[in-house]
Amino acid sequence: MKSDNARVGMQQAPARSLFNALGFTQDEMKKPMVGIVSSYNEIVPGHMNIDKIVEAVRVGVAEAGGVPVVFPAIAVCDGIAMGHVGMKYSLVTRDLVADSTECMAIAHQFDALVMVPNCDKNVPGLLMAAARLDLPTVFVSGGPMLAGHIHGHKTSLSSMFEAVGAYAAGKLDEDGVLEYEKKVCPTCGSCSGMYTANSMNCLTEALGMGLPGNGTIPAVYSERIRLAKMAGYAVMDMYNKGITARQIMTKESILNALTVDMALGCSTNSMLHLPAIAHEIGFDFDISFANPISEKTPNLCHLAPAGPTYMEDLNEAGGVYAVMNELKELDLLNLDCMTVTGKTIGEAIKNAKNLNPEVIRPLDNPYSKTGGLAVLKGNLAPDGSVVKRSAVVEEMMVHEGPARVFDCEEDAIEAIKGGKIVEGDVVVIRYEGPKGGPGMREMLNPTSAIAGMGLGSSVALITDGRFSGASRGASIGHVSPEAADGGPIALVEEGDIIAIDIPNMKLDIKVSDEELEARRAKWQPREPKVTTGYAARYAKMVTSGNRGAVLELK
């Protein structure tokens, strides 16, 4: 056992005295020590129930012969952090989560791990840590929130942000906004649409790192408690069989996850997190991989914000495994990849059934023949940009319009809500990338304001920042190279014509090469927006969005 390094031999007698102080019995000293990484806190709705999940995991581990030991991981609520300086401190926590978990697991020589995350950066951060540590590891999340209900219709957090835009446009009064406030988020759990948290939790199943249902069983269902106990059993089974995280997280399983992402219509943030997870196993993941996979993968689900269905509906329809079983028929998945169940993907999904063809479209009736995401390149984004095309209305799939240029999110929101953005405009928000932000803020406020003001089918938004999974419309993010690195987005001027062609994966500025070079010669780097603390250190080490915003020594 790895934990023997901390517990066996005369030289470890001091450590044993400290285990005694923890209340360990002599029998427990001889059993595998399983770290349970608890993301519980009292500020994130998706994490307020995780204490109950952790307790169930503890029971499962102990019943299966291990010694459960809980330690914490941080998590930020993106919805609460949105629209102010706090959003600079969201993406950056992904690496803090990975680094701190690595430190705890190696310092204390755990034999296996159960990761209990839920929200946006917490899940990929722990997946990155799992890949680094290469221990027997199982994921069990806190689960998604139930949908809200307003006037007989299901709703979710994205509707709340759009209600604010509708208020600014005079389409909703203050009482109407208050009704949304009270009803859109009715339970604990990760917000109820196919936003980033739920996207990544679903992808734990596609990767093979989560048990069936991990991505979809609602937070308030007792079934989630049972799942947590089974995660405890499963990690001990992995330990006994010698199955570790890197046997599961391989190049092939990551490409499986990208394929499932396309069918589910996941958040564009998965195109930050999958490259970062791949980086941890030594797989150089190019975001352009998305396009050939998208071209052959049908989009089978339109969960909010793309459509009127929610995570509870996907769960009732058969969940992620039912989607994967549909894809199997097109030979789109590597079925030999291992899972935490000890079975291959092929074995694990073979009995899954699509129980609702309105929620999970069958292969002969997809929402589209191509996947939910696309990577656009051109002279505005030489290294790529990302759009959730499954959430783009048909009339905006190809669009040209004048650039309305803003050097920060706040200025753009002020212009949008002030009625200064009109039909046909292309809003450009720059210096909000991983380095320039720093921290690559999500842009749910401006996208929701555009939608709420009735401009969603006529105005595009382009940024070197990123979007919430709750965003919809012609919202193109991750533009690389970013403005802070002198990318072409830094050279755009007010009124330049921007050409968007999503079917042909193109994003261009209609300015000659000579003019762009002349502008480049005059361009000067901006002073950093943050000069102290963690965010300042992060800005000096972070790579661009197309590389997953991973940290590297430079």
Side-chain angles (χ1 to χ4, degrees):
M1 290 186 292
K2 185 180 287 289
S3 57
D4 285 349
N5 294 329
R7 297 188 296 186
V8 173
M10 185 55 65
Q11 68 178 12
Q12 294 310 121
R16 288 196 297 277
S17 73
L18 294 169
F19 281 112
N20 284 330
L22 289 166
F24 274 49
T25 67
Q26 290 302 305
D27 283 344
E28 285 177 319
M29 295 269 201
K30 299 172 185 176
K31 294 179 180 180
M33 191 164 62
V34 180
I36 303 173
V37 187
S38 170
S39 305
Y40 169 78
N41 65 43
E42 295 182 342
I43 189 63
V44 184
H47 290 236
M48 62 185 285
N49 66 315
I50 278 178
D51 56 339
K52 295 177 176 60
I53 304 297
V54 167
E55 187 54 38
V57 174
R58 286 174 60 95
V59 170
V61 168
E63 287 185 352
V67 180
V69 181
V70 178
F71 65 90
I74 64 169
V76 163
C77 178
D78 280 18
I80 295 174
M82 195 79 65
H84 55 84
V85 68
M87 184 44 72
K88 294 180 185 290
Y89 291 83
S90 171
L91 178 60
V92 302
T93 64
R94 185 188 70 185
D95 295 272
L96 282 173
V97 168
D99 293 348
S100 59
T101 302
E102 173 193 0
C103 291
M104 288 292 288
I106 294 177
H108 302 103
Q109 293 292 286
F110 288 104
D111 296 297
L113 297 168
V114 179
M115 308 293 200
V116 191
N118 210 26
C119 288
D120 296 22
K121 313 309 167 300
N122 190 247
V123 183
L126 290 177
L127 284 166
M128 290 163 67
R132 283 183 205 172
L133 293 163
D134 195 27
L135 296 171
T137 306
V138 176
F139 277 68
V140 55
S141 77
M145 186 183 290
L146 294 180
H149 291 266
I150 293 181
H151 304 151
H153 298 284
K154 287 184 178 181
T155 188
S156 62
L157 183 64
S158 55
S159 302
M160 183 71 252
F161 280 87
E162 291 180 16
V164 174
Y167 175 79
K171 298 180 179 181
L172 190 67
D173 62 17
E174 192 168 341
D175 287 341
V177 174
L178 182 60
E179 182 178 17
Y180 274 83
E181 281 183 45
K182 291 179 176 179
K183 294 181 178 179
V184 297
C185 296
T187 73
C188 62
S190 49
C191 297
S192 56
M194 188 54 82
Y195 311 147
T196 305
N198 292 327
S199 295
M200 293 309 303
N201 280 318
C202 286
L203 295 187
T204 64
E205 294 189 52
L207 282 167
M209 292 297 292
L211 294 172
N214 184 50
T216 60
I217 297 170
V220 295
Y221 283 13
S222 297
E223 186 181 359
R224 173 118 344 233
I225 301 296
R226 296 195 294 273
L227 185 76
K229 291 177 183 176
M230 289 189 285
Y233 304 152
V235 79
M236 290 307 301
D237 186 54
M238 289 179 71
Y239 173 79
N240 292 329
K241 292 177 179 176
I243 300 172
T244 63
R246 281 192 212 163
Q247 293 173 34
I248 296 171
M249 281 192 284
T250 62
K251 174 182 178 180
E252 290 74 22
S253 71
I254 288 172
L255 294 178
N256 274 352
L258 182 56
T259 301
V260 175
D261 183 307
M262 295 298 174
L264 287 171
C266 290
S267 164
T268 52
N269 281 314
S270 62
M271 294 303 292
L272 276 179
H273 302 321
L274 287 177
I277 295 162
H279 179 75
E280 297 293 344
I281 66 166
F283 170 28
D284 187 11
F285 183 107
D286 186 325
I287 61 170
S288 295
F289 293 162
N291 288 343
I293 289 177
S294 182
E295 285 305 298
K296 59 186 179 182
T297 305
N299 178 222
L300 303 180
C301 300
H302 261 195
L303 282 80
T309 54
Y310 295 82
M311 296 305 297
E312 62 203 64
D313 302 311
L314 179 59
N315 186 62
E316 295 301 319
V320 176
Y321 273 19
V323 175
M324 294 175 75
N325 214 19
E326 292 280 356
L327 298 177
K328 181 180 71 173
E329 301 304 314
L330 292 178
D331 197 27
L332 294 176
L333 299 174
N334 186 318
L335 301 178
D336 295 326
C337 291
M338 181 58 68
T339 74
V340 294
T341 65
K343 300 176 181 178
T344 65
I345 284 288
E347 293 167 336
I349 68 174
K350 68 179 180 181
N351 294 321
K353 295 180 180 179
N354 182 353
L355 303 176
N356 189 336
E358 294 303 313
V359 176
I360 304 172
R361 290 279 185 92
L363 295 177
D364 60 1
N365 184 35
Y367 282 101
S368 66
K369 293 182 179 180
T370 54
L373 299 180
V375 172
L376 313 184
K377 290 189 174 183
N379 68 351
L380 187 53
D383 293 338
S385 61
V386 182
V387 63
K388 187 173 182 176
R389 64 177 168 188
S390 60
V392 180
V393 295
E394 184 62 34
E395 52 265 43
M396 290 299 289
M397 296 294 280
V398 177
H399 178 76
E400 288 191 11
R404 305 298 309 279
V405 184
F406 305 93
D407 287 350
C408 67
E409 178 187 5
E410 289 84 354
D411 290 350
I413 293 171
E414 183 180 353
I416 295 165
K417 292 185 176 179
K420 297 178 181 178
I421 302 301
V422 299
E423 291 186 8
D425 284 348
V426 178
V427 177
V428 177
I429 306 177
R430 61 191 180 190
Y431 295 101
E432 291 284 10
K435 177 179 178 180
M440 204 178 186
R441 288 195 286 181
E442 287 186 344
M443 301 289 175
L444 181 54
N445 272 323
T447 58
S448 297
I450 288 170
M453 296 184 75
L455 297 172
S457 60
S458 60
V459 169
L461 196 156
I462 296 171
T463 181
D464 53 6
R466 61 194 177 92
F467 296 109
S468 165
S471 294
R472 62 187 177 97
S475 303
I476 301 167
H478 307 199
V479 171
S480 301
E482 63 173 292
D485 279 335
I489 192 171
L491 310 178
V492 179
E493 295 182 358
E494 187 81 6
D496 286 343
I497 299 300
I498 306 292
I500 300 165
D501 187 345
I502 295 174
N504 290 305
M505 321 302 189
K506 297 290 289 181
L507 180 62
D508 289 300
I509 175 173
K510 290 199 161 182
V511 173
S512 69
D513 293 344
E514 292 78 13
E515 173 62 19
L516 284 177
E517 284 307 310
R519 294 180 188 180
R520 185 178 301 281
K522 299 176 184 177
W523 178 80
Q524 294 292 324
R526 301 292 178 92
E527 290 296 317
K529 294 178 182 176
V530 179
T531 58
T532 60
Y534 177 66
R537 297 197 302 276
Y538 178 92
K540 291 180 179 179
M541 298 176 66
V542 71
T543 62
S544 64
N546 68 298
R547 296 187 57 203
V550 298
L551 300 185
E552 290 184 345
L553 294 174
K554 297 185 179 180

